[in-house]
């Protein structure tokens, strides 16, 4: 029989909170709001806790668990099953899984109606302790346009604008239904000066330029408006918001972040 070195005792007395694999890449399927499924390539981080008594964990078992879910639909329920299997097979007290992926949403230009798709950076993250429900988080980063109110107020001609990245992470209570990526992205981008469209004709460019000019917002304005639309979401337990404006007239970004637990009942 081959020796299992990982099972050897370790005498340094240090529990490790997270040990496992990082930057593995596997295909999965994510449910779309329309009822279909979108194929995604996920970048994976999968870890468990390791008691101080053991020298190491079994790295191959993470991939064995993941490979059974390749090309299958994955959401909260499936991630909890993967985490539960990790707790049992790796004899751990906690397990954590993060799937990061590009997700594409359909966009229609505001005037010409031209169709295109916009890529969003998203992630599913689940953490489970033995005997407890899984904590699940959905993260979505949405590109948008912001226009500076101060520039508009002081300039004789136009106002400077910038491309923004707006990241929202939400965690719902275990008994609540999570939100679709499409709906969360729409809530977020509506708080910016204007949405981003991959494909624009001249008439569309005129529209988005003027719309941004009519809705000037600081990075602080965008963040606060996002907070206000997130708070009423039914079943929401916690959320975080990060807004970054890539300045067009400075060699730095404007940045704001916020997180909070939501106190309303289900």
């Amino acid at each position: 029989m081959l020796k299992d070195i990982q099972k050897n005792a370790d005498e340094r007395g240090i529990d490790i909170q997270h040990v496992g694999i990082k930057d593995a890449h596997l295909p999965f399927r994510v449910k779309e709001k329309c009822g279909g499924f979108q194929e995604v390539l996920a970048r994976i981080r999968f870890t468990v806790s390791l008691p101080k008594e053991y020298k190491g964990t079994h790295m191959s078992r993470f991939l064995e668990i993941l490979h059974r879910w390749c090309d299958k639909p994955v959401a909260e329920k499936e991630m909890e099953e993967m985490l539960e299997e990790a707790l049992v097979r790796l004899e751990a007290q906690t397990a954590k899984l993060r799937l990061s992926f590009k997700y594409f949403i359909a966009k229609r230009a505001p005037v010409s109606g031209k169709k295109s798709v916009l890529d969003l950076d998203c992630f599913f993250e689940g953490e489970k302790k033995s005997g407890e429900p899984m904590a699940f988080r959905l993260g979505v980063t949405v590109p948008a346009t912001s226009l500076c109110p101060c520039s508009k107020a002081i300039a004789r001609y136009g106002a400077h604008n910038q491309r923004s990245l707006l990241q929202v992470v939400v965690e719902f209570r275990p008994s609540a239904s999570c939100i679709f990526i499409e709906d969360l992205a729409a809530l977020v981008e509506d708080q910016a000066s204007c949405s981003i469209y991959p494909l624009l004709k001249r008439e569309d460019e005129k529209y988005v330029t003027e719309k941004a000019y009519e809705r000037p917002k600081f990075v602080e304005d965008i963040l606060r408006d996002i907070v206000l639309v997130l708070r009423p979401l039914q079943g929401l337990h916690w959320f975080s918001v990060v807004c970054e404006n890539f300045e067009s007239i400075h060699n730095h970004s404007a940045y704001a972040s916020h997180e909070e637990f939501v106190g309303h009942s289900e």
Side-chain angles (χ1 to χ4, degrees), residues 47-227:
T47 63
V48 294
S49 58
L50 182 68
K52 59 188 176 184
E53 293 82 10
Y54 295 122
K55 188 173 186 64
T57 192
H58 294 272
M59 296 293 180
S60 63
R61 294 181 186 176
F62 293 102
L63 287 169
E64 287 176 348
I65 294 168
L66 289 165
H67 271 285
R68 282 197 288 276
W69 294 95
C70 283
D71 299 318
K72 295 180 181 179
V74 170
E76 300 100 308
K77 178 178 178 294
E78 293 75 18
M79 289 188 68
E80 186 159 20
E81 289 184 28
M82 285 186 265
L83 290 167
E84 184 62 44
E85 184 177 354
L87 292 176
V88 174
R89 294 191 61 190
L90 293 158
E91 302 176 50
Q93 290 300 306
T94 63
K96 190 170 185 178
L97 173 61
R98 181 175 176 132
L99 307 177
S100 303
F101 54 91
K102 286 282 189 182
Y103 188 84
F104 293 87
I105 61 171
K107 299 282 287 186
R108 191 181 289 274
V111 180
S112 70
K114 292 288 184 180
K115 296 180 181 178
S116 59
V117 291
L118 178 67
D119 61 297
L120 306 178
D121 287 316
C122 302
F123 69 81
F124 293 162
E125 184 174 87
E127 184 169 14
K128 185 172 177 61
K129 295 181 180 180
S130 182
E132 298 183 12
M134 176 188 67
F136 177 81
R137 291 182 175 182
L138 165 64
V140 177
T141 300
V142 182
T145 297
S146 61
L147 186 133
C148 178
C150 186
S151 176
K152 178 179 178 178
I154 63 176
R156 293 175 58 195
Y157 311 110
H160 83 84
N161 58 16
Q162 46 268 320
R163 184 165 167 267
S164 305
L165 285 180
L166 315 174
Q167 185 194 63
V168 171
V169 183
V170 292
E171 178 184 334
F172 286 81
R173 295 182 177 87
S175 59
S177 298
C178 197
I179 191 171
F180 282 103
I181 292 173
E182 292 88 342
D183 291 335
L184 185 57
L187 281 177
V188 171
E189 70 177 359
D190 284 349
Q191 311 317 311
S193 297
C194 189
S195 301
I196 291 286
Y197 301 90
L199 176 59
L200 295 174
K201 305 301 285 185
R202 278 191 294 264
E203 58 268 33
D204 301 310
E205 187 172 348
K206 178 180 185 296
Y207 173 90
V208 299
T209 301
E210 292 175 347
K211 182 176 180 181
Y213 189 78
E214 291 166 357
R215 300 184 71 203
K217 291 193 177 188
F218 293 122
V219 69
E220 300 94 332
D221 295 318
I222 297 174
L223 183 137
R224 286 178 170 133
D225 287 341
I226 293 174
V227 168

Side-chain angles (χ1 to χ4, degrees), residues 8-15 51-56:
N8 286 356
D10 194 280
E11 298 178 354
R12 285 165 284 190
I14 300 172
D15 293 318
K52 59 188 176 184
E53 293 82 10
Y54 295 122
K55 188 173 186 64

Side-chain angles (χ1 to χ4, degrees), residues 32-50:
E32 298 175 312
K33 185 181 179 181
C34 66
F37 293 92
Q38 189 171 139
E39 302 282 348
V40 302
L41 177 62
R43 188 176 75 252
I44 301 160
R45 185 172 67 222
F46 197 1
T47 63
V48 294
S49 58
L50 182 68

